[in-house]
Amino acid sequence: MKRIKVLSDSVRKKIAAGEVVEGPFSVIKELVENAIDAGATEVDVQVYDSGLKKILVRDNGEGIEPEDIKLVITDYATSKIDDVYDIDRVDTYGFRGEAVSSISSISDITILSRRQGNETGVRLYSSDNRVETADFAGPGGTTVIVENLFYNVPARKKFLKTRRSEMRFVRETFLKAALPHPGTGFTLDVDGKRHISLSRVSSLDERIEQVYGNEVTGNLYFESMQDIKIKISGFFSQPGFLRSSRAMQLLYINRRPVEFKYFGYILMKAYEAIAIRGKHPAAIVFIDIEPDLIDVNIHPAKREVKVFDQKYVESLILKLAEKALNRKHSFSDELFRDEQKSLHETVGISASAGASPGDLHSIGSLFRGKQVFHSPPVSLSREVVNEGAELYREFNNDNSIRILGTVFGTYIVVEQGDSLNFIDFHAAHERFVYDRLRENSREIEGQALAFPVMVELPVDEYRLVLENFQLLNELGFDIDDFADNTVTVRSVPGIVKDIDVKEFLADFTESIKGEKGESADFRDAMAKSAACHSAKRSGDHLGESDLEFLVRDVFSGDHEMRCPHGRPYIFSINKKDFERMFSR
Ligand code: ADP
Ligand code: MG
């Protein structure tokens, strides 16, 4: 063993720099965040050789005072906080004052800056502990150029991924940083060529569209909720828009992209009813929270954030996702659209009057008031129409059920005790058929068709049907290969005897295309498709016994109150709410 000695400053700094700078992407992150902290509305990024040769970040932010320029590369020098207590109030990305200084210890760095309003600016060049400064006469704002990253840290170089994946990290970091700032324009040039250009736009939707393509926002629901100290909003996949990876699951806390272990899990829960194996919902969630309720100072790169009450935040994310999923199928936002604003105000006031500030759990209950069901005009309470979810437990098995009829060819209207219920019979029927197909985990009795049906399919779907003969058989479909992309269907499951076989096969094969699922998942997909293509549709005639059968099932409490795709199929209004509506 050699003797113990204190490491030199420069070695110490390089070791410490490793915590902040994992790769070129970390440099991009720190520099772009500094640009945003400086109030930039334009940020241009250039990388050469995946950032290992050169990274340049230029902004039109407030700039740096010439006298302060050396402090930028000094450890723990920052303009963003004065005291440790300020961390509780910090609304900038940075505050540790170590990023640029760390970067400068493992690269050659040039900083060009002119403060907006100053005649001249300043230029700093630092390499190998040598620092030079000079005047600078360029445009207002700051440009930081980092060259030869890690040239003096051999160990780190070894850990870098391939150039291609470093470049992918750079691109992801850039996009993640740009996403929550639609009011700032960003460009990314790679080896001298423009790769990405995000012009300034006026809303988050537009920025998301710029990043993910223009059909995307049409496939996402937007929802938001708020209480005194937290605002949470987000964009969520509509049921048909599931992705093959989690890449589009992003969580921001105070516009900081954060890694949160349970995020994917929470989303999975929200989408349970419509989940397809190997598919993931997209979700871009923004939490804005009073800075004193979070601790961002637990990770040097601030990738993780500690929140005051993780369970509560998790429950908010789940609620928001569920709310988004329920939304399209709720009572008209249309009808009461004008009321939306005043409703929110009312809730805001009652929130502050009704609960003491720190008492976030009790405030949580107020969220209910901000569902998409809005009170009719005048001063009616927000509880006039209940949310679907709240009804789940209200049904009980009594005999006070009266079927009043169907309306709009789509809904069964039912009086039950003190509530008036509207049931979307297609969605309800779909759920029951699905549950039945699923509950017989073994074979299901097929019912022979009077005349076998020949179905011709596109070639890849035909292949998929052949590959899944066995499973189809277990569900009660007796299918034979005929020839030339055509199959013969001889029997179908008894409970779906009216199924449109061709539609079913097309839908089922489409849903498993490209999937490498297990037979259980395929069976699930099969059950879903079968349920969908056999359930009564709007406009279908429902006989009295059909109605009774369906309604009894609805109130049996045996089924989830959503169709297999996640849409609620029942809403109710209770008598109290009626009375309130008539000011009784
Ligand atoms: P932090 O961001 O934590 O304060 P940094 O090392 O990233 O620490 O930056 C140190 C200081 O340099 C910042 O506090 C800021 O005053 C200044 N600075 C860095 N980049 C810029 C920039 N692009 N525009 C203006 N000032 C900057
Ligand atoms: Mg910083």
Side-chain angles (χ1 to χ4, degrees):
M1 197 73 147
K2 286 203 282 182
R3 300 288 302 276
I4 302 173
K5 62 179 174 304
V6 175
L7 292 172
S8 73
D9 271 359
S10 96
V11 174
R12 247 192 277 178
K13 223 173 145 178
K14 280 177 209 157
I15 291 172
E19 278 186 46
V20 187
V21 190
E22 282 175 57
F25 71 92
S26 328
V27 174
I28 307 274
K29 171 180 178 289
E30 296 297 338
L31 299 184
V32 168
E33 288 185 352
N34 280 344
I36 294 167
D37 282 348
T41 56
E42 293 297 336
V43 179
D44 300 313
V45 178
Q46 300 175 8
V47 297
Y48 294 86
D49 193 11
S50 304
L52 290 170
K53 188 161 169 236
K54 179 172 160 185
I55 294 170
L56 176 151
V57 176
R58 174 174 45 227
D59 69 59
N60 64 350
E62 63 188 359
I64 299 163
E65 275 303 339
E67 298 91 272
D68 290 349
I69 193 71
K70 283 189 179 164
L71 289 176
V72 178
I73 57 162
T74 303
D75 265 347
Y76 310 115
T78 180
S79 55
K80 298 169 192 174
I81 58 170
D82 292 320
D83 197 295
V84 67
Y85 302 109
D86 294 340
I87 296 177
D88 275 355
R89 292 184 279 272
V90 77
D91 60 356
T92 49
Y93 283 115
F95 59 81
R96 293 170 61 115
E98 61 184 352
V100 182
S101 135
S102 295
I103 293 166
S104 76
S105 71
I106 50 172
S107 69
D108 301 327
I109 194 168
T110 308
I111 303 175
L112 310 164
S113 189
R114 182 166 67 77
R115 226 171 142 72
Q116 305 289 352
N118 280 6
E119 286 275 298
T120 45
V122 63
R123 172 184 189 281
L124 171 147
Y125 174 76
S126 154
S127 169
D128 245 345
N129 297 324
R130 200 163 41 82
V131 182
E132 298 160 10
T133 58
D135 283 352
F136 167 68
T142 303
T143 301
V144 179
I145 304 163
V146 173
E147 289 167 291
N148 307 320
L149 185 63
F150 300 129
Y151 75 98
N152 53 3
V153 201
R156 177 62 63 174
K157 266 201 143 148
K158 263 193 284 183
F159 282 108
L160 289 174
K161 300 271 190 301
T162 61
R163 297 283 204 270
R164 245 212 3 258
S165 46
E166 287 301 333
M167 195 51 229
R168 185 163 59 80
F169 296 155
V170 163
R171 204 168 41 240
E172 281 171 14
T173 306
F174 170 86
L175 289 171
K176 264 190 202 169
L179 191 102
H181 297 281
T184 300
F186 293 85
T187 62
L188 174 66
D189 290 2
V190 178
D191 298 323
K193 280 201 219 83
R194 174 77 23 113
H195 269 213
I196 301 175
S197 170
L198 306 168
S199 55
R200 298 179 60 181
V201 284
S202 52
S203 68
L204 262 175
D205 309 36
E206 289 170 82
R207 177 51 52 88
I208 289 174
E209 220 166 277
Q210 288 176 321
V211 173
Y212 292 105
N214 50 18
E215 327 88 75
V216 162
T217 40
N219 286 307
L220 299 174
Y221 292 138
F222 175 79
E223 268 303 340
S224 68
M225 308 192 295
Q226 181 163 13
D227 73 15
I228 298 173
K229 299 209 171 205
I230 302 191
K231 180 168 180 261
I232 176 168
S233 61
F235 296 81
F236 296 90
S237 278
Q238 296 183 2
F241 187 70
L242 298 176
R243 321 275 297 180
S244 44
S245 80
R246 292 218 161 115
M248 217 176 146
Q249 296 183 349
L250 302 176
L251 178 64
Y252 290 88
I253 297 187
N254 294 351
R255 300 216 250 184
R256 230 180 255 289
V258 293
E259 282 164 22
F260 176 41
K261 261 210 310 266
Y262 301 110
F263 191 47
Y265 173 74
I266 295 171
L267 294 170
M268 213 173 70
K269 268 185 91 169
Y271 281 76
E272 219 161 28
I274 51 173
I276 301 174
R277 196 187 160 97
K279 292 272 179 187
H280 309 274
I284 306 172
V285 176
F286 302 91
I287 297 179
D288 290 306
I289 186 166
E290 295 279 314
D292 63 333
L293 292 178
I294 57 175
D295 186 357
V296 289
N297 196 23
I298 54 168
H299 191 286
K302 307 182 194 84
R303 245 179 305 166
E304 288 167 37
V305 167
K306 216 175 153 79
V307 294
F308 68 104
D309 181 346
Q310 180 154 327
K311 281 259 157 355
Y312 180 58
V313 171
E314 286 171 16
S315 75
L316 287 186
I317 297 172
L318 182 63
K319 263 190 199 160
L320 188 73
E322 290 181 337
K323 192 179 159 197
L325 270 176
N326 279 332
R327 192 173 70 134
K328 265 281 144 44
H329 309 277
S330 55
F331 276 169
S332 88
D333 324 36
E334 294 288 322
L335 211 56
F336 304 130
R337 185 172 285 157
D338 292 344
E339 292 312 299
Q340 211 155 326
K341 201 162 152 258
S342 61
L343 175 77
H344 284 207
E345 280 159 14
T346 318
V347 173
I349 291 162
S350 62
S352 37
S356 64
D359 192 1
L360 285 153
H361 280 104
S362 68
I363 298 165
S365 64
L366 286 163
F367 283 132
R368 269 192 292 124
K370 304 192 68 204
Q371 303 293 352
V372 276
F373 305 98
H374 300 302
S375 316
V378 212
S379 58
L380 286 179
S381 103
R382 61 193 152 79
E383 291 148 31
V384 166
V385 182
N386 288 323
E387 187 211 5
E390 283 178 54
L391 298 167
Y392 294 4
R393 49 198 146 74
E394 283 178 18
F395 294 115
N396 37 28
N397 257 327
D398 57 39
N399 298 321
S400 58
I401 298 172
R402 217 150 58 90
I403 299 173
L404 305 177
T406 52
V407 289
F408 310 129
T410 308
Y411 309 100
I412 310 173
V413 184
V414 181
E415 180 191 338
Q416 187 234 12
D418 266 354
S419 68
L420 182 62
N421 304 278
F422 299 86
I423 298 162
D424 175 336
F425 62 69
H426 170 71
H429 193 197
E430 213 177 324
R431 160 59 65 184
F432 307 147
V433 172
Y434 171 76
D435 283 357
R436 278 190 192 108
L437 289 174
R438 300 258 317 164
E439 85 202 1
N440 301 316
S441 51
R442 293 268 34 104
E443 306 223 343
I444 288 179
E445 198 73 32
Q447 179 163 337
L449 296 171
F451 303 98
V453 181
M454 312 279 270
V455 181
E456 193 183 341
L457 293 159
V459 64
D460 50 343
E461 296 179 6
Y462 171 70
R463 288 276 136 218
L464 284 169
V465 171
L466 299 194
E467 284 164 19
N468 289 285
F469 263 169
Q470 174 70 27
L471 271 175
L472 284 159
N473 221 294
E474 281 174 23
L475 265 197
F477 290 98
D478 179 6
I479 300 180
D480 277 338
D481 183 10
F482 183 70
D484 294 336
N485 303 334
T486 303
V487 293
T488 314
V489 183
R490 300 181 192 284
S491 81
V492 298
I495 43 173
V496 299
K497 55 183 187 305
D498 298 330
I499 193 167
D500 180 332
V501 181
K502 190 178 164 105
E503 291 279 316
F504 158 72
L505 288 177
D507 188 76
F508 161 62
T509 47
E510 170 67 34
S511 72
I512 62 167
K513 240 180 237 175
E515 294 288 320
K516 288 195 262 341
E518 313 203 338
S519 61
D521 307 309
F522 282 8
R523 193 182 165 115
D524 189 70
M526 227 175 255
K528 249 178 221 166
S529 302
C532 182
H533 292 286
S534 64
K536 297 277 182 196
R537 307 203 154 264
S538 18
D540 279 358
H541 176 72
L542 290 184
E544 213 149 284
S545 62
D546 292 336
L547 281 178
E548 259 182 53
F549 171 76
L550 264 172
V551 170
R552 191 165 314 127
D553 252 350
V554 169
F555 292 101
S556 69
D558 294 342
H559 302 278
E560 217 181 300
M561 296 286 180
R562 295 165 183 242
C563 80
H565 308 287
R567 296 190 288 267
Y569 56 71
I570 177 157
F571 286 108
S572 100
I573 303 180
N574 70 42
K575 194 170 158 212
K576 270 206 316 279
D577 298 328
F578 259 91
E579 288 171 347
R580 234 182 256 135
M581 227 183 304
F582 292 101
S583 306
R584 285 173 75 107

